[in-house]
Every structure is written in C-alpha cells, then in structure tokens.
C-alpha cells in the first residue's frame, strides 16, 4: 500500500503546501486503485514552524503531490523519504489520477510567497 498526500482546499490542489487548509491522504493498493481517503488538517502556523513532515510520515505517507513549494520544503520532504511531485493543479481527484497513471512529473516549480520561500526549511 502507498499513501499519497495532496494539499487541499475546497476539493482542489492547494497552491500553498506550507499553509494549506488540509491534506487529502489517499491509500493506494498494488493495482493503483484508491482504497481509502482521509483528511488531515495541519496546525494553523506555517509548515516550517510545525511538525508537518513527521506527522505525514507517522501517517505512512510516502508521496506528496502538490502545486508548488519552496526548495527547502522539497529537500526536507525528500530527505525524509517522501517523494515530491510539484506542478499539480485543479481537482484533487484529477491530480491523484494523473499521478497514478504516471503522467504527473515533478515540474520543479518553486513558490516565492511574500518575499520568502513558502515552506522554507519546513
């Protein structure tokens, strides 16, 4: 089983990983079928000031599908063993389907928000 986290806002991929409204966590079986979904609401502070990565790891997340984020966040996620795919947008279900179909490639998109990287050091 694989667990995929998607920053979510109103059923869409949230553009701001470190400040997202919630995460959709999809559990996928070996046949690449989503067998369950759950929602996780992160603490209200910026992701860089929270224990977001350890929490995702404790939930069994190994893949993150996102819109964009700072390079610091990407590096910390990858160092923790979570694969990162940036550049997703639109409905969460479509982003998950694209990942599962192998058509979602990391677009190496960095977020520059309010004069600093979103998720800097996250």
């Amino acid at each position: 089983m694989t667990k995929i986290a998607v920053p979510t806002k109103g059923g869409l991929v949230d553009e701001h990983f470190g400040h997202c409204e919630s995460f959709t966590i999809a559990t996928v079986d070996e046949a690449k079928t989503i067998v369950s979904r759950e929602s996780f609401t992160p603490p209200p502070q910026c992701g860089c000031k929270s224990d977001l990565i350890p929490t995702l790891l404790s939930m069994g997340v190994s893949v993150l599908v996102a819109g964009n984020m700072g390079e610091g966040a990407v590096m910390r996620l990858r160092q923790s063993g979570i694969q990162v795919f940036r550049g997703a947008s639109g409905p969460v279900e479509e982003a998950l389907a694209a990942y599962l179909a192998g058509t979602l490639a990391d677009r190496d998109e960095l977020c520059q928000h309010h004069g600093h990287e979103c998720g800097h050091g996250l």
Side-chain angles (χ1 to χ4, degrees):
M1 296 284 199
T2 301
K3 284 197 174 184
I4 305 165
V6 183
T8 304
K9 183 176 184 178
L12 301 174
V13 176
D14 193 326
E15 288 297 313
H16 296 288
F17 164 77
H19 299 274
C20 72
E21 183 177 277
S22 67
F23 284 90
T24 298
I25 311 291
T27 302
V28 178
D29 67 13
E30 295 76 24
K32 296 187 178 183
T33 301
I34 297 173
V35 295
S36 68
R37 286 175 190 76
E38 60 185 297
S39 183
F40 161 67
T41 302
Q45 70 265 33
C46 177
C48 62
K49 297 178 180 145
S50 73
D51 61 352
L52 186 54
I53 292 174
T55 300
L56 292 172
L57 286 170
S58 73
M59 295 176 77
V61 170
S62 60
V63 176
L64 180 88
V65 172
N68 58 36
M69 67 183 70
E71 190 60 32
V74 173
M75 287 176 30
R76 288 211 36 221
L77 285 158
R78 288 182 176 158
Q79 288 170 348
S80 297
I82 297 175
Q83 295 178 326
V84 178
F85 294 87
R86 294 168 287 180
S89 62
V92 168
E93 294 305 315
E94 290 179 15
L96 285 168
Y99 170 77
L100 293 172
T103 60
L104 181 65
D106 182 35
R107 293 192 190 151
D108 198 26
E109 294 186 15
L110 294 180
C111 176
Q112 300 296 322
H113 182 67
H114 302 297
H116 72 281
E117 282 188 52
C118 296
H120 56 280
L122 169 285

